[in-house]
Every structure is written in C-alpha cells, then in structure tokens.
Amino acid sequence: MSRVLTVMPAAVLALAVLTGCGAEAPAAAPVTGKASTAADPHGKRRQVEAARADCMKQKGFKYIPNISPPETADEEKLLQRSGDYAAMREYREKHGFGVFFALAYPDDPEEGTDQPLPDPNMKLAESFSKTQYEAWSAADDICYATVFTKFTGKKIPSQDDVYTQADTLYWKTKERLLDGDPRLAELAGDFGDCLKGKGYPVTSLRPTALETNGRDTFEKQRTATLNKHMESEAKGIDAWRLPPDAARPYLAKEIKVALDDLECGKDFYAEYRPRSEKLRDEIWDQFGRKEGLLPW
C-alpha cells in the first residue's frame, strides 16, 4: 500500500539538474523575531529559510532561501477531496488514479513531469560536480533538520524523515479511527463486493485498504515498467522517464479501472473522503505544512 510520499530531495534535485530546471524565488527576510502569519503568511517560513542559509554559510556552503508560492487548491480539487462524485469522475476520466498521467503527458501544465521546480537552489546545483552536490546535500540535510526541530519541536534526522513521520502518523491515525467505524465498514463491504463482481482483486475490506486498492496496482506496475526501462539503453534523464507513447496504453487501462472503482465506491468515497482529508490536514499541519515549513 502506498503510504509514504515518494519525493526525495536528492532525486528531485538531481532531476532538476539534468533537465536544467530552476526558477528564482523571492529572497527571505531577515529574522527579526516572531513574524505575524496574518500579516505575512510566509513569516515562519522566512525565518526557517534564513536560519537554514545561515547554517549552510557556517558550514562553508551557499544556500538561497526558498520562499515558494503558497499551495492553493481550486474548487474542483476541493470537491474531489470531499468525495464529490461528479468531480471525482471528471478527474478520473482524464487522469485515472493519477499514476501514469504525468508520464503519458509530461507537458501538461498542471501535472506533467516537465514542469520546472521553483526552488532557486536547483539552478545553483547545476554548477556542482557529483562530489560537490553530495557534500552540499549532506550539509543541507543537517541544517534543515536542526532548524526544523528548533521551530517545530519535532526531532528529525533528515528532510525525508519529515514526510516519513507525518505520513506514518497520518496512516496510523486513519487506520485507528476509520477502519473500526461501523458505517464505513458497511460501505466498504458493499464497495468490495461490487469490485469483486467486476472481476477485480480485493485483498482487504478495511476502508483504508480499499481507498488505495486500485491505485496500488498501477503504482506497482509503474515501478516495474520504469525499472525495466532504466535497464534498457536509455541514457540520462530519459532513463528516468517512460516515453509518453509507451505510458499512454497503461493510462488507458488505468482510466477504465479508476472509473469502475468510482462507480462501485461512490457512496463509500462520499462518506470516507471528507473524514480522511480532515485527518490529513490535522496531522500534516502538526509538521508545519500550513506555515510552509515542509522542505519541498
């Protein structure tokens, strides 16, 4: 089951270096004490980034404070998160579960893999050798962990661990609160029976397992397909990307399965998703998401 976010700093930065992606971001304001998040929603982020840059300077490295634009969710995405059938269907008709779409359409303005990452340090890293990058990255991991702990009180050994801790806590909380809910268990039973009737494998009728049942199948398929592609003669960045023409047949299958999944689970999602997303917000905000303290 896919529970841990798959974005990793070294991989992301390496990808940006290979593709030449990078964009300038506003410089961070100096730390002058507690910032008012009402007056400046990036206040704490600015303090964290300024402290991170200072730590890197002390270690002999340059770091450009990164104040990314705030994450926003449009009305359609909020409806999808709420379990709205029409919004979920519109999304799945084009994206399926959201697994192969970015590989099939890398130029898509919202979800394609070719979109530049906003961190100005991506541009900085283009000038690094492999050895220089590894040293810079190791120092940044230490600095981020130190600063993150100072501002949140949560001890982490690395940037990756922020996501691991938050996602693990989210899933444990969700399994504890939602898997034992009688109403969700009843809806999950109907959902699973419907999927089985259509010939789809169902390994568990737990609500949290059914939520990702279809997506998990295609994530495993994507991993196997990409691993096979990387073993081919593809070079450089092409080795990390499945050619769009090769990804689109997988997407077509994914869309069909995702729509069948939605038809079977529309009552389940309407009840389950609002509660699941509320827990996600509560848990991730403990790790500074709302204040922009996540590393990426």
Side-chain angles (χ1 to χ4, degrees), residues 10-11 13 18 36 48 58 70 72 96-97 102 109 120 122 126 143-144 147 162 170 190 192 200 235 247 250 281-282:
L13 193 47
L18 285 169
S36 168
V48 166
Q58 292 177 31
T72 57
F97 293 109
M122 302 297 181
E126 290 179 25
C143 285
Y144 178 82
V147 173
V162 177
Y170 166 57
D190 293 340
Y200 293 113
K235 303 295 183 184
Y250 290 103
D281 289 342
E282 290 173 355

Side-chain angles (χ1 to χ4, degrees), residues 28-104:
V31 179
T32 56
K34 289 189 176 181
S36 168
T37 55
D40 179 6
H42 287 306
K44 188 172 283 189
R45 171 77 181 198
R46 292 182 190 279
Q47 294 181 58
V48 166
E49 287 294 292
R52 188 174 177 181
D54 184 60
C55 175
M56 287 289 279
K57 183 178 180 181
Q58 292 177 31
K59 293 182 180 295
F61 295 97
K62 181 179 181 179
Y63 177 84
I64 304 170
N66 174 30
I67 313 299
S68 302
E71 246 186 62
T72 57
D74 60 31
E75 185 177 349
E76 199 64 26
K77 288 180 180 177
L78 290 174
L79 284 172
Q80 291 167 26
R81 290 180 61 185
S82 75
D84 180 82
Y85 171 76
M88 289 183 69
R89 182 171 181 83
E90 183 177 354
Y91 177 85
R92 293 190 177 196
E93 284 174 344
K94 180 180 178 181
H95 301 84
F97 293 109
V99 177
F100 276 97
F101 180 82
L103 294 170

Side-chain angles (χ1 to χ4, degrees), residues 1-7 148 154 156 159-175 208 211-212 215-216 219 276-277 279-287 289 294 296:
M1 188 175 296
S2 299
R3 299 186 179 184
V4 179
L5 298 185
T6 55
V7 180
F148 186 85
K154 295 186 178 296
I156 59 162
Q159 297 179 51
D160 284 345
D161 197 59
V162 177
Y163 293 94
T164 301
Q165 284 192 32
D167 212 45
T168 298
L169 179 59
Y170 166 57
W171 274 94
K172 284 183 177 179
T173 304
K174 187 159 67 167
E175 288 169 350
T208 57
E211 174 194 11
T212 62
R215 181 184 177 90
D216 285 347
E219 286 190 338
S276 174
E277 291 301 320
L279 289 174
R280 182 194 299 275
D281 289 342
E282 290 173 355
I283 297 299
W284 281 85
D285 286 348
Q286 293 178 29
F287 289 80
R289 184 188 66 169
L294 298 178
W296 339 283

Side-chain angles (χ1 to χ4, degrees), residues 1-7 91 95 97-104 111 113 214-230 239-243 246-248 250-251 254:
M1 188 175 296
S2 299
R3 299 186 179 184
V4 179
L5 298 185
T6 55
V7 180
Y91 177 85
H95 301 84
F97 293 109
V99 177
F100 276 97
F101 180 82
L103 294 170
E111 298 187 33
T113 58
R215 181 184 177 90
D216 285 347
T217 299
F218 286 94
E219 286 190 338
K220 290 174 184 175
Q221 196 169 53
R222 178 182 61 186
T223 298
T225 304
L226 283 172
N227 285 341
K228 185 176 180 180
H229 178 64
M230 283 188 277
W240 295 87
R241 291 177 176 168
L242 196 65
R248 285 170 188 167
Y250 290 103
L251 176 61
E254 182 186 339

